[in-house]
Structure formats: C-alpha cells, structure tokens
Amino acid sequence: YNREKMIEMAFDRFNVKAFYVGIQGALAMFYAGRTTGIVIDSGDGVTQAVPIYASYSVPHAVKKIPLAGRDISENLERILTERGRYFESTASFEIVREIKETMTFVNLDYEKDMNDSHTNIWKEANEKPYTQ
C-alpha cells in the first residue's frame, strides 16, 4: 500500500515520467558495481543478510536477526551510565544515538587497531571532541 501511494504521489503531484522501485539489497549491489553477492543491511531494529544473484534477491535465503542500531545505542547508553553519565529522558537517548553515529566505527582489523590505540598517532586521528 505504501509503495502504491508513493508512486501515485510521484506521478500525480510531481509529474514524474518514470519510476523504479527496487529491493534495497539489489540497489546496494548495483551501487557497488556488482550483480551477485550478499548485502548486510543493519537498520534501527533488524539486521539482515540479503543474497543477490544476477541482480535478483533470493528471498528464501534472506536471514534476519533482531539486533541492530537501537541495540547498539542502548548498550552504549548502559556503558556510559556505568561510567557516571546519566540519561534520564528520551531526548537524552537521542544524544547517545548521535554519539554512536558520529564517534563510532566498524573495526576492520581489530588486532592492529588495538595495538595502534596505545600510540599518540592513533589518538590524534581517532579521538574527536564531541560537540553538539
């Protein structure tokens, strides 16, 4: 229903001449310049692995886990609370989410980064002051 309304609005209100609705995983694969692979999509409430073969999703092979961005934000909030930072309102949770989105990253080489984390070069490159 939402897709139908979105397309209807695009044609009727904005005079769009053509419209394409695609599966997010397939579109991500196109963006990467590939037609076959696995797309890991982690949103606010769910993370899913979407296999793409020859530009088509393989729906029966999609795997989902209920672990995603909100869980990471809640864990960060717990860690900060344990260290004496208290968040007492829903607006405070938005601050935690913003900290997560601006100051965290996916580690591609854990051992190297752990060794480098003890050097001043790493600290200068990775410790960003949090400003709002």
Side-chain angles (χ1 to χ4, degrees):
Y1 178 77
N2 287 335
R3 288 183 185 177
E4 290 174 15
K5 291 304 266 184
M6 176 179 63
I7 293 168
E8 181 181 317
M9 185 182 301
F11 285 121
D12 294 346
R13 289 192 186 172
F14 302 111
N15 297 317
V16 170
K17 304 229 183 301
F19 202 96
Y20 177 78
V21 177
I23 294 170
Q24 184 175 350
L27 296 174
M29 194 64 66
F30 290 151
Y31 179 77
R34 300 184 182 273
T35 58
T36 299
I38 297 176
V39 175
I40 305 297
D41 179 17
S42 187
D44 185 56
V46 68
T47 297
Q48 57 186 355
V50 181
I52 307 293
Y53 180 76
S55 301
Y56 292 97
S57 170
V58 185
H60 66 277
V62 172
K63 299 296 179 191
K64 296 180 182 184
I65 59 169
L67 175 70
R70 184 176 302 140
D71 301 297
I72 294 169
S73 296
E74 288 171 355
N75 191 47
L76 178 58
E77 182 179 36
R78 182 188 56 76
I79 291 168
L80 291 170
T81 300
E82 288 173 357
R83 295 190 176 163
R85 305 286 190 256
Y86 296 100
F87 303 96
E88 299 174 1
S89 68
T90 55
S92 297
F93 188 75
E94 287 302 308
I95 293 170
V96 173
R97 186 190 56 75
E98 187 175 331
I99 291 170
K100 175 195 74 177
E101 291 180 4
T102 58
M103 301 185 73
T104 61
F105 61 94
V106 175
N107 186 303
L108 300 176
D109 188 346
Y110 179 77
E111 294 298 326
K112 178 185 178 303
D113 285 346
M114 284 304 293
N115 291 331
D116 291 351
S117 70
H118 301 293
T119 67
N120 287 334
I121 296 169
W122 187 89
K123 289 178 183 177
E124 291 170 7
N126 293 290
E127 287 187 2
K128 303 168 197 127
Y130 178 71
T131 57
Q132 189 173 6

